[in-house]
Amino acid sequence: MPTLLVLIGPTGVGKTELSLRLAETMHTCIVSADSRQLYADLKIGTAAPTPEQLQRVKHYFVGTLQLTDYYSAAQYEAEVLKLLETLFTEQNTVVLTGGSMMYVDAVCKGIDDIPTVDEETRRQMLQKYETEGLERLCAELKLLDPAYYRIVDLKNPKRVIHALEICYMTGKTYTSFRTQQQKERPFRIVKVGLTRDREELYDRINRRVDQMIEDGLVEEARRVYPYRTLNSLNTVGYKEMFKYLDGEWTLPFAIEKIKQNSRIYSRKQMTWFKRDAEIQWFHPEQEEEIMQYIRSVIAS
């Protein structure tokens, strides 16, 4: 049976290098599950695979979008499943790796069949957000869909806006479309999670941010600065750099905030992943044990 090897873990844990070695060992390719590495102009701030790494192993869903492109987890699910159909005719195992929790779940479990929002509704809601602000939209969501209002991250404009888009477009609550039923997949899914001690992980995150600065993150942020209001740039690394470029923060302060927000994000990722009992956890250096585990599951 074809097998999708899902390698996950928090930002900075060491997924990239291990995924390359696993793919090389199994003579296969890598499907990225990183919602920001999709954008061609965000190489440094997203720690996208380098040209050398892309040469070592064939990658999919890296650098395929422009900053202005609209993209969703539902589109990702459909495109990855279509790609896997083809890939599994050529090889028995494919590696999927990345830290975008919703993208991983979209492929492994499927996401609800929520209607695609039309351009007119999207434009209207964006205008409403820009003129009235997030607090007003949250109050509106409380009226239109109180059940979703109770569980959504009210500080995340993307989630609040999307729920309201569905309410306006369909006349139904966003909650009514969220059945959260797991979909059957025509392939086996093996989930390997990578974890490190908190102190060790935080040190790696801090050093990785320093490396990004050295590699030219400030210049990369300056190049995409004209697009700073786009959702594609509403992410750790760029938000802080824009505050520096706006003159609100000093560069050292912005760098410290990137480190801090990356650490916070890593905790959110672990909280999300720990809810999944199917994930078998390893330290990234337990490469031999990981391969043994993968082989034993595939052989069973």
Side-chain angles (χ1 to χ4, degrees), residues 55 75 110 162 175 187 221 230 254 276 283 297:
Q55 273 192 327
Q75 282 171 271
H162 183 56
T175 301
F187 46 83
L230 294 175
D276 190 340
H283 189 283
V297 175

Side-chain angles (χ1 to χ4, degrees), residues 187-232:
F187 46 83
R188 173 175 33 213
I189 297 170
V190 180
K191 295 178 182 176
V192 170
L194 300 182
T195 185
R196 293 177 186 266
D197 292 340
R198 182 171 286 195
E199 199 177 309
E200 185 187 8
L201 178 65
Y202 285 1
D203 180 58
R204 283 177 60 88
I205 288 171
N206 293 341
R207 283 189 285 115
R208 185 162 84 158
V209 173
D210 289 335
Q211 188 62 52
M212 285 176 178
I213 297 299
E214 206 173 299
D215 291 344
L217 179 60
V218 178
E219 291 73 19
E220 184 174 77
R222 194 173 275 120
R223 282 197 299 275
V224 299
Y225 182 78
Y227 304 97
R228 65 192 181 280
T229 57
L230 294 175
N231 181 59
S232 51

